[in-house]
Amino acid sequence: MMESLRDLNYGSVVIKNSLSHAIWNWFKYVLGIGIGGLVIGVSALVYFTPQIPKFLSEKLPDINLTLKDGKVSTNIPEPYVWGDKNMALIINTKGTVDDLREYKIGVLILKDKIVAKQESETKLIDLSEFKDEASLSKEMIVSWTQNNKVWLLVVGLAMLIIIEVILGIMYLIWQVFSFLFWSLAFFVVSIILKKNLGYTNILKIVLTASVIPLLISTLNILFQDKILDTLSIGIFVFYAGTWIYRLDLTKSR
């Protein structure tokens, strides 16, 4: 990788290799970043999961909810709001569905209903049909998490893998379209420069020039700095453009 950064004539090396080599050269970094993210995620799960009971014990209010004959009762002053305008849990057995109007996302527990709101979509669960008695308290929640740490860890791991796979597939699809677009753009540039490279060779150069921007984009996940975005694009355009411009086809054949 360092050789490609130092050598502004590296395009002649790139086009000698196969397209599959260029794809793997880029994809191995994606794979490495994905595995690294998975390792960090698993480490975080292993570290934080045992602390969930303590966290809930400290952060959850001393709440007790009881459902009897389809009616909810509680021991806390109402209306009770846990959260903010973006996301909240509201308990108000004397309230109405309109209590959720000012919240983007939220769950509202009424006397005989549970209302769940997700942006503009609202779902309602009628509790009047539930005749059995049920209760939920802070102690029950803390005790359940204390006794089910392994299950929480397994579920967390499954969710982590599913999320990473979904994000990975979405990222790869986006990159495929991005590579095709940039290859077409640089193909036009190569025609203007009278470089008879062919679209496949341009694609190889685009893939190789995308490695450093990929690593910079990974840093941007941590630092969220627009300068890194600009730097990433600038480095990609510089190397891809320079490799094409300085390419001597008589030497690369």
Short mmCIF file of all heavy atoms in Angstrom, two decimals, residues 179-213:
data_model
loop_
_atom_site.label_atom_id
_atom_site.label_comp_id
_atom_site.label_asym_id
_atom_site.label_seq_id
_atom_site.Cartn_x
_atom_site.Cartn_y
_atom_site.Cartn_z
N PHE A 179 -18.16 2.89 -7.59
CA PHE A 179 -17.04 2.51 -8.43
C PHE A 179 -17.39 2.60 -9.91
O PHE A 179 -16.59 3.06 -10.73
CB PHE A 179 -16.58 1.09 -8.10
CG PHE A 179 -15.91 0.95 -6.76
CD1 PHE A 179 -16.02 -0.23 -6.03
CD2 PHE A 179 -15.17 1.99 -6.23
CE1 PHE A 179 -15.40 -0.35 -4.79
CE2 PHE A 179 -14.54 1.87 -5.00
CZ PHE A 179 -14.66 0.70 -4.27
N LEU A 180 -18.58 2.15 -10.25
CA LEU A 180 -19.01 2.21 -11.65
C LEU A 180 -19.11 3.65 -12.14
O LEU A 180 -18.72 3.97 -13.26
CB LEU A 180 -20.36 1.50 -11.81
CG LEU A 180 -20.35 -0.02 -11.57
CD1 LEU A 180 -21.77 -0.58 -11.68
CD2 LEU A 180 -19.43 -0.73 -12.56
N PHE A 181 -19.63 4.52 -11.26
CA PHE A 181 -19.77 5.94 -11.62
C PHE A 181 -18.40 6.58 -11.82
O PHE A 181 -18.14 7.24 -12.84
CB PHE A 181 -20.54 6.69 -10.54
CG PHE A 181 -20.46 8.18 -10.67
CD1 PHE A 181 -21.23 8.85 -11.60
CD2 PHE A 181 -19.59 8.92 -9.86
CE1 PHE A 181 -21.14 10.24 -11.74
CE2 PHE A 181 -19.50 10.30 -9.99
CZ PHE A 181 -20.28 10.95 -10.93
N TRP A 182 -17.50 6.40 -10.82
CA TRP A 182 -16.19 7.03 -10.92
C TRP A 182 -15.38 6.45 -12.08
O TRP A 182 -14.61 7.18 -12.73
CB TRP A 182 -15.43 6.85 -9.61
CG TRP A 182 -15.85 7.82 -8.54
CD1 TRP A 182 -16.56 7.55 -7.41
CD2 TRP A 182 -15.56 9.22 -8.52
NE1 TRP A 182 -16.75 8.69 -6.68
CE2 TRP A 182 -16.14 9.73 -7.33
CE3 TRP A 182 -14.88 10.09 -9.36
CZ2 TRP A 182 -16.06 11.08 -6.99
CZ3 TRP A 182 -14.79 11.43 -9.02
CH2 TRP A 182 -15.37 11.91 -7.85
N SER A 183 -15.55 5.18 -12.34
CA SER A 183 -14.84 4.57 -13.47
C SER A 183 -15.30 5.18 -14.79
O SER A 183 -14.48 5.42 -15.69
CB SER A 183 -15.07 3.05 -13.48
OG SER A 183 -14.53 2.45 -12.32
N LEU A 184 -16.60 5.42 -14.89
CA LEU A 184 -17.12 6.06 -16.10
C LEU A 184 -16.58 7.47 -16.24
O LEU A 184 -16.17 7.90 -17.33
CB LEU A 184 -18.65 6.09 -16.05
CG LEU A 184 -19.36 6.72 -17.26
CD1 LEU A 184 -19.02 5.96 -18.54
CD2 LEU A 184 -20.88 6.73 -17.04
N ALA A 185 -16.54 8.21 -15.11
CA ALA A 185 -16.03 9.59 -15.13
C ALA A 185 -14.56 9.61 -15.55
O ALA A 185 -14.15 10.41 -16.42
CB ALA A 185 -16.20 10.22 -13.75
N PHE A 186 -13.75 8.73 -14.96
CA PHE A 186 -12.32 8.70 -15.31
C PHE A 186 -12.09 8.09 -16.69
O PHE A 186 -11.07 8.37 -17.33
CB PHE A 186 -11.53 7.94 -14.24
CG PHE A 186 -11.23 8.76 -13.02
CD1 PHE A 186 -11.80 8.43 -11.79
CD2 PHE A 186 -10.40 9.86 -13.09
CE1 PHE A 186 -11.54 9.19 -10.66
CE2 PHE A 186 -10.13 10.63 -11.97
CZ PHE A 186 -10.70 10.30 -10.75
N PHE A 187 -13.02 7.27 -17.14
CA PHE A 187 -12.93 6.74 -18.51
C PHE A 187 -13.04 7.88 -19.52
O PHE A 187 -12.30 7.93 -20.51
CB PHE A 187 -14.02 5.71 -18.74
CG PHE A 187 -14.01 5.10 -20.12
CD1 PHE A 187 -12.98 4.28 -20.53
CD2 PHE A 187 -15.04 5.39 -21.01
CE1 PHE A 187 -12.96 3.72 -21.80
CE2 PHE A 187 -15.03 4.84 -22.28
CZ PHE A 187 -13.98 4.01 -22.68
N VAL A 188 -13.96 8.80 -19.23
CA VAL A 188 -14.11 9.99 -20.09
C VAL A 188 -12.84 10.83 -20.03
O VAL A 188 -12.36 11.32 -21.06
CB VAL A 188 -15.34 10.83 -19.65
CG1 VAL A 188 -15.40 12.15 -20.42
CG2 VAL A 188 -16.62 10.05 -19.85
N VAL A 189 -12.28 10.98 -18.82
CA VAL A 189 -11.04 11.73 -18.67
C VAL A 189 -9.91 11.08 -19.47
O VAL A 189 -9.12 11.75 -20.13
CB VAL A 189 -10.64 11.82 -17.17
CG1 VAL A 189 -9.24 12.41 -17.03
CG2 VAL A 189 -11.65 12.66 -16.40
N SER A 190 -9.85 9.74 -19.43
CA SER A 190 -8.79 9.03 -20.16
C SER A 190 -8.93 9.23 -21.66
O SER A 190 -7.91 9.29 -22.37
CB SER A 190 -8.83 7.54 -19.81
OG SER A 190 -9.96 6.90 -20.38
N ILE A 191 -10.15 9.33 -22.14
CA ILE A 191 -10.36 9.59 -23.58
C ILE A 191 -9.87 10.98 -23.94
O ILE A 191 -9.21 11.18 -24.97
CB ILE A 191 -11.86 9.43 -23.93
CG1 ILE A 191 -12.28 7.97 -23.78
CG2 ILE A 191 -12.13 9.93 -25.35
CD1 ILE A 191 -13.76 7.74 -24.01
N ILE A 192 -10.17 11.95 -23.07
CA ILE A 192 -9.71 13.32 -23.30
C ILE A 192 -8.19 13.38 -23.32
O ILE A 192 -7.57 14.10 -24.11
CB ILE A 192 -10.28 14.26 -22.21
CG1 ILE A 192 -11.80 14.34 -22.32
CG2 ILE A 192 -9.67 15.66 -22.33
CD1 ILE A 192 -12.47 15.11 -21.20
N LEU A 193 -7.57 12.59 -22.42
CA LEU A 193 -6.11 12.55 -22.35
C LEU A 193 -5.49 11.63 -23.40
O LEU A 193 -4.26 11.46 -23.44
CB LEU A 193 -5.68 12.07 -20.95
CG LEU A 193 -6.03 13.00 -19.78
CD1 LEU A 193 -5.66 12.34 -18.46
CD2 LEU A 193 -5.33 14.34 -19.92
N LYS A 194 -6.37 11.02 -24.21
CA LYS A 194 -5.93 10.11 -25.27
C LYS A 194 -5.17 8.90 -24.72
O LYS A 194 -4.13 8.49 -25.26
CB LYS A 194 -5.08 10.86 -26.30
CG LYS A 194 -5.85 11.96 -27.01
CD LYS A 194 -4.99 12.68 -28.04
CE LYS A 194 -5.78 13.79 -28.75
NZ LYS A 194 -4.96 14.51 -29.74
N LYS A 195 -5.70 8.38 -23.59
CA LYS A 195 -5.14 7.16 -23.00
C LYS A 195 -6.09 6.01 -23.33
O LYS A 195 -7.21 5.94 -22.82
CB LYS A 195 -5.04 7.30 -21.48
CG LYS A 195 -4.26 8.51 -21.02
CD LYS A 195 -2.78 8.29 -21.11
CE LYS A 195 -2.02 9.47 -20.51
NZ LYS A 195 -0.57 9.27 -20.55
N ASN A 196 -5.67 5.14 -24.18
CA ASN A 196 -6.52 4.02 -24.59
C ASN A 196 -6.46 2.90 -23.55
O ASN A 196 -5.87 1.85 -23.77
CB ASN A 196 -6.07 3.51 -25.97
CG ASN A 196 -7.03 2.48 -26.54
OD1 ASN A 196 -8.21 2.44 -26.15
ND2 ASN A 196 -6.54 1.66 -27.44
N LEU A 197 -7.11 3.15 -22.40
CA LEU A 197 -7.01 2.22 -21.29
C LEU A 197 -8.08 1.14 -21.30
O LEU A 197 -7.84 0.01 -20.92
CB LEU A 197 -7.11 3.00 -19.96
CG LEU A 197 -5.87 3.79 -19.56
CD1 LEU A 197 -6.19 4.66 -18.35
CD2 LEU A 197 -4.73 2.86 -19.25
N GLY A 198 -9.29 1.52 -21.69
CA GLY A 198 -10.41 0.59 -21.58
C GLY A 198 -11.06 0.73 -20.21
O GLY A 198 -10.41 1.07 -19.22
N TYR A 199 -12.34 0.44 -20.15
CA TYR A 199 -13.11 0.65 -18.92
C TYR A 199 -12.62 -0.26 -17.78
O TYR A 199 -12.56 0.16 -16.61
CB TYR A 199 -14.59 0.39 -19.19
CG TYR A 199 -15.48 0.71 -18.02
CD1 TYR A 199 -15.90 2.02 -17.78
CD2 TYR A 199 -15.92 -0.29 -17.15
CE1 TYR A 199 -16.73 2.32 -16.70
CE2 TYR A 199 -16.74 0.00 -16.07
CZ TYR A 199 -17.14 1.30 -15.86
OH TYR A 199 -17.94 1.60 -14.79
N THR A 200 -12.25 -1.49 -18.09
CA THR A 200 -11.81 -2.43 -17.05
C THR A 200 -10.55 -1.95 -16.35
O THR A 200 -10.43 -2.04 -15.12
CB THR A 200 -11.57 -3.83 -17.65
OG1 THR A 200 -12.78 -4.30 -18.26
CG2 THR A 200 -11.14 -4.80 -16.57
N ASN A 201 -9.60 -1.43 -17.10
CA ASN A 201 -8.37 -0.92 -16.50
C ASN A 201 -8.64 0.30 -15.64
O ASN A 201 -8.02 0.48 -14.59
CB ASN A 201 -7.34 -0.58 -17.58
CG ASN A 201 -6.67 -1.83 -18.15
OD1 ASN A 201 -6.50 -2.82 -17.45
ND2 ASN A 201 -6.31 -1.78 -19.42
N ILE A 202 -9.56 1.14 -16.08
CA ILE A 202 -9.95 2.30 -15.27
C ILE A 202 -10.56 1.83 -13.96
O ILE A 202 -10.28 2.38 -12.89
CB ILE A 202 -10.96 3.18 -16.04
CG1 ILE A 202 -10.31 3.79 -17.28
CG2 ILE A 202 -11.50 4.29 -15.13
CD1 ILE A 202 -9.24 4.80 -17.01
N LEU A 203 -11.40 0.80 -14.04
CA LEU A 203 -12.03 0.25 -12.83
C LEU A 203 -10.97 -0.27 -11.85
O LEU A 203 -11.09 -0.09 -10.64
CB LEU A 203 -13.00 -0.86 -13.22
CG LEU A 203 -13.78 -1.54 -12.08
CD1 LEU A 203 -14.57 -0.50 -11.28
CD2 LEU A 203 -14.72 -2.60 -12.64
N LYS A 204 -9.92 -0.92 -12.38
CA LYS A 204 -8.83 -1.40 -11.53
C LYS A 204 -8.17 -0.24 -10.79
O LYS A 204 -7.88 -0.32 -9.58
CB LYS A 204 -7.78 -2.12 -12.36
CG LYS A 204 -8.23 -3.40 -13.03
CD LYS A 204 -7.07 -3.93 -13.87
CE LYS A 204 -7.50 -5.05 -14.80
NZ LYS A 204 -6.40 -5.48 -15.69
N ILE A 205 -7.93 0.84 -11.49
CA ILE A 205 -7.29 2.02 -10.89
C ILE A 205 -8.19 2.64 -9.84
O ILE A 205 -7.74 3.02 -8.75
CB ILE A 205 -6.93 3.05 -11.99
CG1 ILE A 205 -5.80 2.50 -12.86
CG2 ILE A 205 -6.54 4.39 -11.37
CD1 ILE A 205 -5.43 3.37 -14.05
N VAL A 206 -9.48 2.74 -10.13
CA VAL A 206 -10.45 3.30 -9.18
C VAL A 206 -10.49 2.47 -7.90
O VAL A 206 -10.50 3.01 -6.79
CB VAL A 206 -11.85 3.39 -9.83
CG1 VAL A 206 -12.93 3.65 -8.78
CG2 VAL A 206 -11.86 4.50 -10.88
N LEU A 207 -10.51 1.16 -8.05
CA LEU A 207 -10.55 0.27 -6.88
C LEU A 207 -9.29 0.43 -6.03
O LEU A 207 -9.37 0.52 -4.80
CB LEU A 207 -10.67 -1.19 -7.34
CG LEU A 207 -12.06 -1.64 -7.79
CD1 LEU A 207 -11.96 -2.91 -8.65
CD2 LEU A 207 -12.95 -1.91 -6.58
N THR A 208 -8.14 0.48 -6.67
CA THR A 208 -6.88 0.61 -5.94
C THR A 208 -6.76 1.96 -5.26
O THR A 208 -6.30 2.06 -4.11
CB THR A 208 -5.69 0.39 -6.89
OG1 THR A 208 -5.84 -0.85 -7.58
CG2 THR A 208 -4.38 0.39 -6.13
N ALA A 209 -7.21 3.01 -5.95
CA ALA A 209 -7.13 4.36 -5.38
C ALA A 209 -8.13 4.57 -4.26
O ALA A 209 -8.05 5.56 -3.53
CB ALA A 209 -7.37 5.40 -6.48
N SER A 210 -9.07 3.64 -4.09
CA SER A 210 -10.11 3.76 -3.06
C SER A 210 -9.69 3.20 -1.71
O SER A 210 -10.43 3.37 -0.72
CB SER A 210 -11.39 3.05 -3.52
OG SER A 210 -11.91 3.65 -4.68
N VAL A 211 -8.53 2.56 -1.64
CA VAL A 211 -8.12 1.91 -0.39
C VAL A 211 -7.86 2.92 0.72
O VAL A 211 -8.41 2.81 1.83
CB VAL A 211 -6.88 1.03 -0.61
CG1 VAL A 211 -6.33 0.53 0.73
CG2 VAL A 211 -7.22 -0.15 -1.52
N ILE A 212 -7.02 3.93 0.45
CA ILE A 212 -6.72 4.94 1.47
C ILE A 212 -7.97 5.72 1.88
O ILE A 212 -8.22 5.92 3.07
CB ILE A 212 -5.61 5.89 0.99
CG1 ILE A 212 -4.31 5.11 0.78
CG2 ILE A 212 -5.40 7.02 2.00
CD1 ILE A 212 -3.80 4.44 2.04
N PRO A 213 -8.80 6.17 0.92
CA PRO A 213 -10.06 6.82 1.31
C PRO A 213 -10.95 5.94 2.18
O PRO A 213 -11.65 6.44 3.06
CB PRO A 213 -10.73 7.11 -0.04
CG PRO A 213 -9.59 7.28 -0.98
CD PRO A 213 -8.57 6.28 -0.53
#
